[in-house]
Amino acid sequence: MVTIKDIAKAAGVSVTTVSRALNGYDDVNEVTRQKIKDIAQGLGYSPNMAARSLISKKTKTLGLLLSNVTRTSSKDNIAFEILCGMNDRSGELDYDLVLFSTTPQKQKIKSYKTLCQERGVDGVIIMGIRLDDEYLKEVVSSQIPCVLIDIPLEGPNVGYVTSDNVGGANRAVSYLLEAGHRKIGVINGHSQADVSVQRLKGYKQALERFGLPFDESLIMDGSFSEAGAKEAVYRLLAQQPDITALFCISDLMALGALQAVRGLGLQVPGQISVVGFDNIDVTAYCSPALTTVNQNKYEMGYQAAQMLIDLLEGRKVSHRLMLDTELIVRESVSSR
């Protein structure tokens, strides 16, 4: 096996110089650094990551912590696209990415700090947990750097990446209002998801801009599931049969809404218009194709990994990042 001693001998420099060159120290001449890298590559050198981590106390490994991973949302490619962005950026910056999950039951047994230590990660990206999750208290006070997806918390070692959920929802509902709809139902997620809170805020802003009052009876939670949304639409339309449009705060719930409307013998968009949020892949191919709000899911993951690595490497960066959203107009909305 090739060692740094072999590289040092071939380059005519000290072992210390080789070590500092390969580990990115800025006190090595750039010409020398490149020469050492070229020789290392030519000799087929592969660093001993275990030994390196023992010396530096760093593993160069990021953790992605997901909560309540299930198969019920297999149509929802959000997590996969975010994961792709994280994986690409961490790989570009020479970090590994490991996936681990938790549940409320597991959290009673194992603390956040213990979980991270067992996985050997330098920092963590967290996605999919509730605002009332017990781990969030630990995250804010922990010394382990962390970036949250769609949870607006900050601290010395904590940042977050999210989309413009308020603006996206405002544009979606405004589009329905401009099409002449005045009684618009909302299929929300649940109260402990920040995206639910923010997208409902955007809905209220659009109503206010058009001089319409907010009516709590037009809101029904669908628990971010296709089946939950389907049942919510049945209940909502039974109570409010004169609703002409539905704003669903996730595309997965919009798919459930489409099923419910058809199940009631109604047509989309002829009798009920439907708008979603997220722009998951299937929305372009369902019937009718769904009007929705696009958020850049890949970029969320990419920027989350970048922010976490910036925190780990001591750079001064903003601990918050909000990405733009865009209304994608398709076939599920008609004018009144």
Side-chain angles (χ1 to χ4, degrees), residues 152 165-167 169 193-203:
N165 292 297
V166 175
D194 189 65
V195 295
S196 290
V197 175
Q198 300 305 319
R199 292 172 191 179
L200 185 60
K201 183 178 179 180
Y203 168 81

Side-chain angles (χ1 to χ4, degrees), residues 33 56 67 115 136:
R33 183 195 310 280
S56 67
S67 181
L115 186 63
L136 287 182

Side-chain angles (χ1 to χ4, degrees), residues 52-256:
R52 179 180 289 183
S53 66
L54 286 173
I55 296 169
S56 67
K57 308 299 183 184
K58 301 289 185 182
T59 65
K60 297 211 75 175
T61 301
L62 311 181
L64 171 59
L65 177 59
L66 298 174
S67 181
N68 286 316
V69 179
T70 67
R71 296 184 64 188
T72 57
S73 59
S74 58
K75 291 180 183 177
D76 186 342
N77 61 306
I78 296 174
F80 178 73
E81 289 200 38
I82 292 175
L83 174 59
C84 287
M86 293 176 188
N87 188 60
D88 284 355
R89 190 52 178 157
S90 58
E92 290 168 0
L93 297 177
D94 198 28
Y95 279 77
D96 291 323
L97 182 67
V98 297
L99 172 67
F100 51 104
S101 63
T102 185
T103 65
Q105 292 73 33
K106 289 181 181 178
Q107 291 172 10
K108 294 175 183 177
I109 303 170
K110 192 171 294 183
S111 72
Y112 168 73
K113 181 179 179 180
T114 300
L115 186 63
C116 293
Q117 289 176 336
E118 287 181 353
R119 296 302 191 278
V121 297
D122 294 334
V124 183
I125 299 169
I126 298 181
M127 182 169 63
I129 65 175
R130 295 165 57 98
L131 294 173
D132 59 357
D133 194 292
E134 287 296 317
Y135 269 6
L136 287 182
K137 298 175 184 176
E138 289 190 69
V139 166
V140 175
S141 60
S142 174
Q143 296 301 306
I144 302 168
C146 177
V147 172
L148 299 154
I149 301 289
D150 285 331
I151 301 175
L153 291 179
E154 294 180 68
N157 297 303
V158 181
Y160 70 92
V161 177
T162 190
S163 296
D164 182 10
N165 292 297
V166 175
N170 191 328
R171 282 188 290 275
V173 178
S174 293
Y175 178 70
L176 288 170
L177 292 166
E178 288 163 359
H181 297 276
R182 289 297 178 266
K183 196 158 188 180
I184 302 170
V186 178
I187 306 303
N188 209 349
H190 56 70
S191 62
Q192 293 304 317
D194 189 65
V195 295
S196 290
V197 175
Q198 300 305 319
R199 292 172 191 179
L200 185 60
K201 183 178 179 180
Y203 168 81
K204 292 177 181 178
Q205 285 184 356
L207 293 179
E208 184 177 355
R209 190 159 64 88
F210 278 75
L212 298 173
F214 172 69
D215 184 352
E216 186 74 41
S217 68
L218 294 176
I219 316 300
M220 194 77 70
D221 282 358
S223 302
F224 289 104
S225 75
E226 201 169 349
K230 185 176 180 180
E231 179 59 33
V233 171
Y234 279 138
R235 295 198 311 270
L236 183 59
L237 292 182
Q239 297 168 15
Q240 305 279 355
D242 52 346
I243 283 175
T244 64
L246 294 168
F247 171 52
C248 303
I249 72 135
S250 80
D251 284 342
L252 198 62
M253 292 195 294
L255 295 178

Side-chain angles (χ1 to χ4, degrees), residues 81-82 163 294-301 323-325:
E81 289 200 38
I82 292 175
S163 296
N294 180 64
Q295 57 172 341
N296 195 329
K297 300 167 282 293
Y298 177 90
E299 188 69 12
M300 288 179 73
L323 300 175
D324 291 337
T325 52

Side-chain angles (χ1 to χ4, degrees), residues 250-296:
S250 80
D251 284 342
L252 198 62
M253 292 195 294
L255 295 178
L258 290 175
Q259 293 174 32
V261 172
R262 284 196 290 264
L264 292 169
L266 302 174
Q267 293 183 336
V268 179
Q271 292 165 285
I272 302 271
S273 292
V274 179
V275 174
F277 201 116
D278 291 328
N279 195 28
I280 62 176
D281 290 345
V282 71
T283 57
Y285 307 105
C286 63
S287 181
L290 186 69
T291 293
T292 185
V293 177
N294 180 64
Q295 57 172 341
N296 195 329

